[in-house]
Amino acid sequence: MQKYAINIAFFVGCLLIVLAAQFGMVDLYVQSVIMFMGINIILSSSLNIVNGYMGEFSCGHAAFMCVGAYVSSVVTVVLFAQNKIFGAPILPPDMAVLFMPLAILIGGLVSAVVGILVAVPSFKTRGDYLAIITIAVNYMVISGIENLEIIGGSRGFMGMKQVVYAMSDVVNIPWMMIWTILGTVFTIWIIRRFVSSTYGKGISAICQDEIAAEIMSVNTNKMKLVAFMLSSGLAGIAGGLFAHVIGYVNPQSFNILKSTECLVMVYLGGMGSLSGSVLSAVLFTLLLEALRPLQIVKWVIIPLILVLLMQFRPEGILGNKELGDVFPRLKRYCRFK
Amino acid sequence: MEALFQNIINALQWGSFYALIALGYTLVYGVLLLINFAHGDIFMVGAYIAFGVSVFVLGTQGLGLPNWAILACGVPLTMILTAGVGVTLERIAYRPLRRKGAHRLYVVITALMCGLILENGNLALLGASRKKFPELMEKAVWTFGNVSVTNLKVIVIVAAFATFAFLNFIVTRTRIGMAMRAVSYDKFAIPLMGIPVDSVIVFTFVLGSGFAGLAGMLFAMSYPILEPYMGALIGWKAFIAAVVGGIGDIRGAFVGGFLLGFIEILVVAFFPSTFRDLIAFSILLLILWIKPTGLFGVARHQKI
């Protein structure tokens, strides 16, 4: 029982949050902050696969988020909501409850396929040249979606709120909160499994030395493909959740600044540390909200904090370690595989 | 046909800005192997410094000099002050990290953050209202057939070519240029040869930021509206141009900048303008796909 103490505490905590949201104990603002925390955790830990474990420098993570957000919201809106262009809902809106996670997963799958766009050039290019390819992909995705008039172009796309309301009509519980928590747990679980598997070992071998890894019979191309696709797919899930939480997506909200935010969260937590990225995503979201009254000065203070952090603790909060390595006693209370 | 010539001239001007900024990226990258993501924002700061110098120091609200004198003193003053900003960044943010031997990516993140600080610090200090750059030159339009050229366009293009020639001369023909190439070749053996690495790096930042200041001034004269985010997009694009040319190579940055300028202007000429980024970046991606080290780049051999 002692071994599962933290797991149970986490589960009870999530349950309490959902219950509190259900009975109106926390207001909508706090709820949205908690949901953004989950989305940011998914973003930072999925980017950590490529930037941390594999040692590449991908700075276009928001592109995959954008693809996931658009695909999943188009799917849900076409299926369950009244829309000017797509017409009446195809399926009865009551079924949104069942298809919602499926739509978000479809968004993730499509953005994993878009991830191939970055993964294939990465077979030959490394380092800074790959960084450019990711930036270029980010611009291309945004520009491409801006030119698709059918999904709103640069005006953005909306209608997801109807789907969320349709779900609340069936059973009135905070659905998006539940899906966000489930998505976050799913992401952390899958990354944890992935990193400790043979694939994960292969990816850290590529990080150490690509040529040596190839000589040791690591199929580097396959590893890169899998890592990029997993990373972008999870970012797509984050995007799908983001779109349904906000209820409105706009191509410009996934621009290079969003990618920079993802990068910041990864490096704040430490490269190659899953618990580090979770911790830094939570801290970063809280910091953003705490500094909100300062308005624009916020964006001077946050970079300044990061510059100072880089000066005095360049490896990030946890460095290359997990939380369990820093505090070995925690391992007694946590079983997590 | 005349439309084509007109577009080529516009593309030359637009490419000149990319080339001037890309040269700064490539100089710093060539010496330090550091992507100085703050460079686009140094360009923005350069434009604001040019504004401050030509309005509040030399111009109507300062000494009140005539326009030709503002231009003559303003250009060097802007370049010097912008170079000061670049060197300050190097001194405060990058050098301590380099001394500690931090991972290269942490320096890149620091550079990104410095860019954000410059952008938003500017926004917080000067407010979001756009600034109107004063007209420093009588506009002269020369027309050949239906192709019209303004004197400003000619100056911008000539400045880009002159900068390229000057930097190429410095890097390939002078002692300090040789030192720069040496530092980029082997950072550990060079101090043993008695070359002061730090002053070479400072000199590199002076050159790169100085010409970013020049680009800022010329940009402000050509498109006389200043806003704090003007450097971000153009900086990222110039960086991509530098990489497509082969980062670390002066010729590469120059050619890449003009290439991007041409692609963008020609795309806008023949397609709806919203397709500009999509097509431009697709072409650049294709180039990188075929030639992963850029047009002029040489692959570094990896040893085990």
Side-chain angles (χ1 to χ4, degrees):
Chain A
M1 196 60 198
Q2 189 194 20
K3 275 179 182 172
Y4 294 98
I6 289 182
N7 303 32
I8 292 169
F10 177 76
F11 182 73
V12 171
C14 289
L15 208 63
L16 279 180
I17 291 173
V18 173
L19 283 178
Q22 167 70 10
F23 295 111
M25 255 114 74
V26 288
D27 58 355
L28 286 173
Y29 171 69
V30 178
Q31 283 185 37
S32 70
V33 170
I34 291 171
M35 285 190 275
F36 281 126
M37 226 179 252
I39 291 165
N40 279 342
I41 288 173
I42 301 179
L43 279 178
S44 69
S45 49
S46 63
L47 186 60
N48 208 348
I49 299 175
V50 171
N51 281 28
Y53 291 109
M54 201 158 72
E56 290 291 358
F57 188 51
S58 159
C59 27
H61 207 54
F64 308 119
M65 194 184 164
C66 183
V67 172
Y70 265 90
V71 168
S72 62
S73 37
V74 166
V75 167
T76 51
V77 168
V78 166
L79 289 182
F80 306 113
Q82 179 76 33
N83 186 291
K84 248 184 263 167
I85 298 167
F86 301 116
I90 296 174
L91 296 174
D94 305 346
M95 288 173 75
V97 180
L98 298 173
F99 278 91
M100 176 76 194
L102 213 61
I104 287 177
L105 278 182
I106 289 173
L109 281 180
V110 174
S111 61
V113 173
V114 175
I116 297 177
L117 209 64
V118 176
V120 172
S122 80
F123 295 164
K124 280 201 290 183
T125 32
R126 287 215 72 183
D128 305 325
Y129 291 95
L130 191 62
I132 296 308
I133 289 174
T134 57
I135 297 173
V137 166
N138 197 340
Y139 275 115
M140 278 164 59
V141 166
I142 290 176
S143 180
I145 285 177
E146 275 182 349
N147 283 309
L148 279 177
E149 270 307 313
I150 189 162
I151 49 171
S154 52
R155 290 190 310 279
F157 185 73
M158 57 170 86
M160 285 78 84
K161 273 281 181 240
Q162 288 179 43
V163 182
V164 179
Y165 291 145
M167 288 199 297
S168 306
D169 285 345
V170 180
V171 189
N172 191 13
I173 51 173
W175 282 105
M176 281 326 294
M177 179 74 96
I178 295 171
W179 293 133
T180 313
I181 289 174
L182 285 181
T184 313
V185 172
F186 171 72
T187 306
I188 294 172
W189 174 73
I190 209 166
I191 290 176
R192 169 84 182 178
R193 301 283 295 185
F194 177 76
V195 166
S196 47
S197 71
T198 334
Y199 282 102
K201 301 279 186 286
I203 282 168
S204 18
I206 291 177
C207 177
Q208 303 282 332
D209 191 326
E210 193 178 337
I211 296 173
E214 205 165 354
I215 293 170
M216 304 305 268
S217 81
V218 175
N219 186 348
T220 50
N221 287 358
K222 189 178 159 195
M223 292 296 163
K224 282 177 179 171
L225 194 67
V226 169
F228 271 110
M229 284 181 72
L230 181 64
S231 164
S232 52
L234 292 175
I237 289 178
L241 290 170
F242 176 81
H244 286 87
V245 168
I246 299 233
Y248 168 74
V249 278
N250 184 335
Q252 282 306 326
S253 53
F254 303 103
N255 62 4
I256 207 99
L257 261 178
K258 188 81 193 171
S259 303
T260 313
E261 260 177 47
C262 302
L263 278 178
V264 163
M265 284 190 282
V266 170
Y267 291 98
L268 184 69
M271 288 157 79
S273 161
L274 185 55
S275 42
S277 359
V278 173
L279 205 63
S280 74
V282 171
L283 281 179
F284 188 73
T285 320
L286 288 179
L287 195 67
L288 275 184
E289 295 304 326
L291 294 179
R292 191 174 283 280
L294 291 177
Q295 291 171 355
I296 193 66
V297 182
K298 175 176 87 169
W299 282 109
V300 181
I301 292 175
I302 289 173
L304 206 62
I305 293 173
L306 273 156
V307 167
L308 290 177
L309 185 87
M310 291 290 152
Q311 300 289 342
F312 297 110
R313 193 169 166 77
E315 66 272 27
I317 297 174
L318 284 182
N320 210 356
K321 300 190 187 88
E322 294 294 340
L323 208 56
D325 303 333
V326 182
F327 303 107
R329 285 197 180 172
L330 275 181
K331 281 184 182 164
R332 262 191 249 162
Y333 301 103
C334 181
R335 241 175 110 76
F336 180 51
K337 281 204 175 125
Chain B
M1 199 61 203
E2 276 142 353
L4 188 67
F5 274 116
Q6 186 67 55
N7 278 326
I8 286 177
I9 288 171
N10 290 343
L12 276 174
Q13 186 201 14
W14 192 233
S16 299
F17 292 120
Y18 282 139
L20 276 172
I21 301 168
L23 283 171
Y25 265 116
T26 219
L27 271 176
V28 172
Y29 186 88
V31 172
L32 276 179
L33 296 186
L34 155 71
I35 312 173
N36 184 13
F37 275 132
H39 195 73
D41 298 303
I42 292 178
F43 158 78
M44 178 273 296
V45 170
Y48 270 86
I49 288 177
F51 174 73
V53 162
S54 52
V55 173
F56 295 107
V57 180
L58 304 170
T60 46
Q61 300 182 29
L63 299 173
L65 297 178
N67 276 347
W68 62 267
I70 294 178
L71 212 55
C73 309
V75 171
L77 205 58
T78 305
M79 285 175 73
I80 292 167
L81 288 174
T82 318
V85 174
V87 172
T88 315
L89 275 190
E90 197 273 335
R91 194 72 189 75
I92 293 176
Y94 307 154
R95 189 183 289 183
L97 279 179
R98 204 166 61 239
R99 288 269 164 78
K100 279 182 209 145
H103 194 286
R104 214 165 58 88
L105 288 180
Y106 294 124
V107 191
V108 173
I109 292 294
T110 308
L112 260 176
M113 291 305 119
C114 289
L116 280 182
I117 292 177
L118 285 180
E119 256 171 39
N120 296 304
N122 190 341
L123 196 60
L125 278 180
L126 300 180
S129 63
R130 297 176 166 190
K131 304 276 181 294
K132 172 95 173 67
F133 198 78
E135 204 166 287
L136 294 180
M137 246 184 343
E138 286 275 320
K139 202 173 201 177
V141 185
W142 300 306
T143 347
F144 308 100
N146 282 334
V147 183
S148 65
V149 186
T150 60
N151 49 357
L152 199 57
K153 272 185 191 169
V154 176
I155 288 178
V156 169
I157 296 167
V158 168
F161 276 85
T163 307
F164 166 66
F166 175 69
L167 288 180
N168 207 17
F169 171 76
I170 284 199
V171 170
T172 53
R173 296 272 187 273
T174 58
R175 278 170 64 90
I176 186 105
M178 193 191 263
M180 282 159 70
R181 279 180 291 149
V183 173
S184 113
Y185 193 78
D186 191 334
K187 222 185 295 177
F188 298 102
I190 288 312
L192 303 177
M193 306 288 152
I195 295 172
V197 177
D198 276 339
S199 33
V200 172
I201 289 172
V202 166
F203 180 71
T204 316
F205 271 88
V206 167
L207 276 184
S209 312
F211 285 106
L214 177 66
M217 178 138 194
L218 290 173
F219 192 87
M221 282 162 68
S222 314
Y223 308 96
I225 300 290
L226 304 183
E227 52 151 349
Y229 292 110
M230 66 190 245
L233 191 62
I234 206 169
W236 286 100
K237 284 185 174 174
F239 172 49
I240 294 177
V243 173
V244 167
I247 195 160
D249 190 301
I250 303 269
R251 292 167 304 166
F254 191 65
V255 173
F258 277 107
L259 189 68
L260 185 59
F262 268 92
I263 293 173
E264 286 201 354
I265 295 284
L266 293 183
V267 165
V268 174
F270 295 111
F271 292 97
S273 64
T274 44
F275 280 92
R276 190 182 68 182
D277 284 358
L278 186 65
I279 296 179
F281 286 118
S282 306
I283 292 174
L284 297 186
L285 202 64
L286 213 63
I287 294 176
L288 276 183
W289 210 326
I290 296 163
K291 218 165 156 7
T293 50
L295 295 174
F296 286 90
V298 183
R300 287 180 187 236
H301 290 286
Q302 285 188 340
K303 289 179 191 162
I304 305 170

